[in-house]
Amino acid sequence: MRCSCKVCGTYMVQADSDILGCVCPDCGYRCTDCLGTNTVVSREALASLAFDPRFQPENIAKNFAPEEEEEEDDFPSPPTDWYD
């Protein structure tokens, strides 16, 4: 993973060492943000997602259904008393 340094903005690269993360070649700043560390989801939280309505098959399928377009008049007809 590659990202920009939060300190100086330089393009960072992943370190090839025993410590995971990215290292800035200019200022030496290290981070693990792109690795997702310290963001572990507990088993209970993960299991509760099975009952979350957002992840039910019919709700997921709605995201892939084509959207219905509404017919709209681009320009409504003007009132007839404008031409007097």
Side-chain angles (χ1 to χ4, degrees):
M1 183 62 71
R2 297 174 182 194
C3 50
S4 62
C5 178
K6 290 182 179 180
V7 176
C8 67
T10 303
Y11 185 70
M12 295 173 44
V13 294
Q14 191 166 357
D16 289 329
S17 67
D18 56 343
I19 302 171
L20 294 176
C22 294
V23 179
C24 178
D26 285 345
C27 69
Y29 176 77
R30 246 181 207 278
C31 77
T32 57
D33 293 349
C34 63
L35 299 177
T37 54
N38 297 327
T39 58
V40 177
V41 179
S42 69
R43 285 181 178 244
E44 295 78 24
L46 188 59
S48 70
L49 292 177
F51 304 103
D52 190 321
R54 295 175 296 171
F55 302 110
Q56 298 301 318
E58 57 275 1
N59 291 333
I60 292 174
K62 290 178 187 176
N63 292 321
F64 299 100
E67 294 182 15
E68 296 180 16
E69 294 183 16
E70 295 181 15
E71 291 185 26
E72 296 182 16
D73 293 334
D74 288 338
F75 300 102
S77 56
T80 55
D81 59 344
W82 282 11
Y83 301 110
D84 288 338

